[in-house]
Every structure is written in C-alpha cells, then in structure tokens.
C-alpha cells in the first residue's frame, strides 16, 4: 500500500529503456510465482519465443503487470465456490507494432458496475484490504505507454485482462503521478 501511494505521489517522466521482453516478463513471473504457490493457485505462463525488445519504463511496466496479476490471485482467494484456482499469464505479438499481455483467472469475477469503476481513483472492491490505487495506477501506466486494457469478466467465472502496448515508445510520452499535469 505504501509503495502504491508513493508511486502515485511521485511525479516523474517515464524512464524509457530498450529491454528484452523475455527479461521483463521473466521478472514479472519470478515475482508472482511465490505468491501463487503460497496460496495453492496454479500459475500458468505462456510467453511466445523471440519477442525481441520493447521500449518501456521497465520499473513501471513490471509493477503494472504485477498489480494485474496480484489482483487475479486475490480474485481466486476471494472465490470460495471453486476448489481449484488458476491464473494464466500469456505474452504474444498482436502485430508487428504491438505486444499483448493476457492475464486470466478463474476467481470470483466482476459485475458490470465493478468493471465500469475499476480504474477509478480510490475505487476498491476489496473493502479495507484495498487502497483503490493499484488498478488506477496500473491503468495509467499502460495508457501512458500508448497502450490499452480490455476487460472481460463474468461473476463466478473469473476475469480476463488483455493489455496491449506498442513495442516502440509513443511520441507523446507522459508524466505519471501528478494529476495537475495529467489532462487525460
């Protein structure tokens, strides 16, 4: 929670680097694997070979992807109706210009109201366990990298997030974290 608040409060321009997709996604998988194992959730990973490099702020992008994955784990933990839970993380080229990260879980799912509010500042469906900053910041990171987030979810069945970003830094790179400088 403290890290999320600091990320939001700390205004800075994205620090773009060219990084191997395999390295960046490997860091994400390495971070999430112990959490999934701790809770007995099967973590399925499918990363297409030869994805090359990507121009991103790796710190922000990894944090955003981890946030989506941690939320998938939480959705499984909140689901008491199923015995077995799984989270999948799939990475593949969408086109020659874009890469997509798909995060899918078989957790509690979301109703339409939650889906519509999930990227709103301070909105949380986790009660006192959530800050309402994580998905807001993660969505902002994706948007500022020139990307999109598509959400599909059915209550009781789980959710799927498809996050697509360009391989190359967008021309209109943005500053994160300062609402006064953020006009979109």
């Amino acid at each position: 929670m403290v890290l999320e608040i600091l990320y939001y409060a700390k205004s800075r321009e994205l620090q773009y680097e060219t990084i191997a997709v395999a390295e960046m996604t490997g860091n994400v998988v390495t971070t999430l694997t112990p959490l999934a194992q701790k809770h007995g959730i099967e973590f399925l990973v499918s990363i297409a070979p030869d994805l090359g490099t990507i121009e991103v702020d790796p710190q922000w992008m990894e944090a955003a992807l981890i946030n989506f994955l941690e939320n998938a784990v939480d959705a499984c933990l909140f689901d008491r109706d199923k015995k077995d839970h799984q989270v999948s993380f799939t990475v593949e080229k969408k086109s020659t210009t874009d890469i997509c990260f798909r995060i899918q879980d078989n957790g509690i799912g979301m109703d339409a109201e939650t889906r519509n509010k999930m990227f709103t500042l301070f909105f949380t469906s986790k009660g006192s366990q959530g800050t309402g900053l994580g998905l807001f910041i993660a969505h902002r990171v994706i948007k500022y990298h020139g990307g999109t987030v598509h959400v599909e979810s059915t209550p009781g069945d789980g959710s799927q997030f498809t996050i697509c970003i360009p391989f190359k830094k967008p021309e209109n790179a943005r500053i994160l974290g300062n609402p006064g400088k953020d006009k979109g």
Side-chain angles (χ1 to χ4, degrees):
M1 180 170 78
V2 171
L3 286 176
E4 288 176 351
I5 292 168
L6 288 173
Y7 278 151
Y8 182 67
K10 182 179 177 186
S11 176
R12 70 171 177 88
E13 290 187 34
L14 295 173
Q15 304 297 311
Y16 280 88
E17 297 175 25
T18 300
I19 185 172
V21 174
E23 178 183 347
M24 184 181 75
T25 55
N27 293 340
V28 170
V29 169
T30 298
T31 300
L32 194 79
T33 298
L35 179 66
Q37 288 174 342
K38 174 184 173 185
H39 295 291
I41 297 170
E42 184 178 14
F43 184 38
L44 307 171
V45 178
S46 176
I47 300 173
D50 304 322
L51 288 173
T53 60
I54 189 167
E55 286 181 57
V56 293
D57 182 317
Q59 179 184 2
W60 281 102
M61 187 56 64
E62 289 174 18
L65 293 172
I66 288 166
N67 188 281
F68 281 104
L69 285 161
E70 286 175 340
N71 277 299
V73 168
D74 287 346
C76 290
L77 293 176
F78 289 132
D79 181 17
R80 303 281 185 235
D81 295 334
K82 292 181 221 57
K83 180 183 171 195
D84 297 315
H85 289 98
Q86 62 182 217
V87 171
S88 67
F89 180 50
T90 304
V91 184
E92 57 196 1
K93 275 187 181 179
K94 177 181 179 184
S95 65
T96 57
T97 59
D98 293 333
I99 186 170
C100 290
F101 307 89
R102 190 173 59 248
I103 296 163
Q104 187 169 359
D105 67 70
N106 68 339
I108 58 172
M110 295 178 280
D111 60 22
E113 181 181 0
T114 301
R115 282 193 314 274
N116 290 335
K117 293 180 178 178
M118 66 190 306
F119 298 127
T120 304
L121 182 60
F122 301 125
F123 174 78
T124 181
S125 61
K126 298 178 187 178
S128 63
Q129 295 178 11
T131 63
L133 289 173
L135 283 178
F136 172 79
I137 294 168
H139 183 253
R140 181 177 275 201
V141 168
I142 302 304
K143 186 171 79 171
Y144 289 0
H145 277 86
T148 59
V149 180
H150 177 74
V151 182
E152 295 177 36
S153 188
T154 304
D157 289 340
S159 302
Q160 177 175 291
F161 292 80
T162 304
I163 300 157
C164 297
I165 61 169
F167 279 101
K168 298 289 182 192
K169 174 183 173 182
E171 294 298 319
N172 59 343
R174 304 283 297 270
I175 296 173
L176 287 175
N178 188 333
K181 294 183 181 178
D182 177 21
K183 302 298 182 199

